[in-house]
Amino acid sequence: MEATAKADLKPVLVFDSGIGGLTVLREARVLMPERGFIYVADDAGFPYGGWEEEALKARILALFAELLQRYAPEICIIACNTAFTLAGADLRAAFPQMTFVGTVPAIKPAAERTRSGLVSVLATPGTVKRAYTRDLIQSFASQCHVRLVGSENLARMAEAYIRGETVSDDAVRAEIGPCFVEKDGARTDIVVLACTHYPFMANLFRKLAPWPVDWLDPAEAIARQARRLVPAADHADHPDAYDFAVFTSEAPDFSTRRLMQGFGLRTL
Ligand code: DGL
């Protein structure tokens, strides 16, 4: 709210249920240094993975009605697979004047890159259930064997991990284990990180994987898509009042605030 008076360049709004969207924000920053960023975490609704679909959709639409009015961004990046695969089309229909850049499981690039033909998609239970995800598989990966792994716990574990809490190796192994498939002498060679929280744990995944695979993180591709849609500016400084984070709980804890600071975001 506070910043609009100084703004001649509108900010980029990045949205997620929690801190996962920061994996996209850090790439978007590199490509759009002239823009300010508003990071919105619907932490009061976190985790999105277990929500009933209609209720979650209604929540996201209501939230955006408020956010767009309050912050008038240039563009919105929905840095959350669980939200976008459910509500992306409705957001575009409800707010036709706004540009939404979405995040969907990177099934197409995975299908193009796999050599073994065995691809796994590691996501929230919500994302693996979506018709959107099934359609992506049918359209782009029908020649592959795709294993969908809906993890109940990983998004929470990623939140804890990035805040510096200890996460047990065995617990992580149990979550990623189903991604590793051996079939007719071939092995999974690509795991799609289809939840924006997961790239924060990629090093741990690499360490604990039963064999090496490519962990596909779409953050950079999403940022590139946003860059294409945001008009380039002829001056490089954005109003310093931008670059802040908003939490729907209105009560982020100390470690969350510190984390935001590490990403150059003030917490309102
Ligand atoms: N970061 C979100 C995603 O990309 C989901 C985390 C959650 O709320 O469960 O799907």
Side-chain angles (χ1 to χ4, degrees):
M1 199 69 187
E2 51 181 16
T4 42
K6 280 176 78 184
D8 54 352
L9 278 186
K10 289 188 195 168
V12 174
L13 190 149
V14 180
F15 175 80
D16 183 35
S17 57
I19 49 93
L22 294 170
T23 58
V24 176
L25 177 127
R26 71 181 161 197
E27 302 293 338
R29 271 259 181 75
V30 175
L31 298 182
M32 292 178 277
E34 82 284 7
R35 295 278 164 176
F37 284 80
I38 301 175
Y39 187 76
V40 179
D42 183 14
D43 61 332
F46 179 84
Y48 274 1
W51 273 71
E52 191 274 315
E53 292 196 341
E54 286 311 308
L56 182 57
K57 200 188 285 180
R59 179 184 180 86
I60 294 168
L61 286 168
L63 197 57
F64 268 88
E66 215 179 298
L67 291 170
L68 297 188
Q69 204 194 20
R70 180 171 298 181
Y71 299 116
E74 178 74 42
I75 196 172
C76 293
I77 302 177
I78 309 298
C80 176
N81 296 261
T82 315
F84 191 78
T85 53
L86 176 69
D90 297 86
L91 281 169
R92 285 178 176 148
F95 308 107
Q97 76 289 1
M98 180 50 54
T99 304
F100 290 94
V101 174
T103 305
V104 302
I107 288 165
K108 185 170 182 256
E112 286 163 0
R113 274 185 229 176
T114 179
R115 280 179 305 249
S116 71
L118 300 184
V119 167
S120 292
V121 178
L122 185 59
T124 66
T127 300
V128 304
K129 272 195 304 212
R130 302 274 187 262
Y132 199 120
T133 304
R134 309 276 161 170
D135 289 350
L136 284 175
I137 295 172
Q138 213 163 24
S139 309
F140 302 113
S142 53
Q143 79 291 5
C144 298
H145 174 88
V146 180
R147 160 79 58 94
L148 290 171
V149 179
S151 165
E152 297 281 346
N153 303 311
L154 263 185
R156 272 188 214 281
M157 286 161 73
E159 294 252 340
Y161 183 71
I162 191 68
R163 291 189 179 101
E165 293 165 35
T166 314
V167 171
S168 103
D169 285 359
D170 284 346
V172 175
R173 251 190 226 107
E175 301 295 323
I176 65 170
C179 294
F180 292 83
V181 178
E182 294 192 89
K183 197 170 170 273
D184 305 330
R187 285 173 155 188
T188 304
D189 61 355
I190 299 193
V191 178
V192 177
L193 297 173
C195 168
T196 50
H197 280 66
Y198 301 167
F200 280 132
M201 298 181 92
N203 282 342
L204 206 52
F205 293 168
R206 268 183 209 108
K207 188 181 101 185
L208 300 172
W211 60 80
V213 294
D214 273 355
W215 299 91
L216 210 62
D217 173 7
E220 200 193 322
I222 298 162
R224 270 191 268 115
Q225 173 64 0
R227 173 72 283 180
R228 277 193 284 272
L229 295 169
V230 169
D234 51 5
H235 50 103
D237 48 2
H238 63 75
D240 18 300
Y242 286 130
D243 286 336
F244 56 85
V246 178
F247 289 81
T248 55
S249 68
E250 296 181 357
D253 59 16
F254 174 74
S255 59
T256 305
R257 288 168 178 272
R258 200 177 44 192
L259 177 68
M260 293 299 137
Q261 225 170 40
F263 280 82
L265 299 164
R266 290 179 299 118
T267 303
L268 295 192

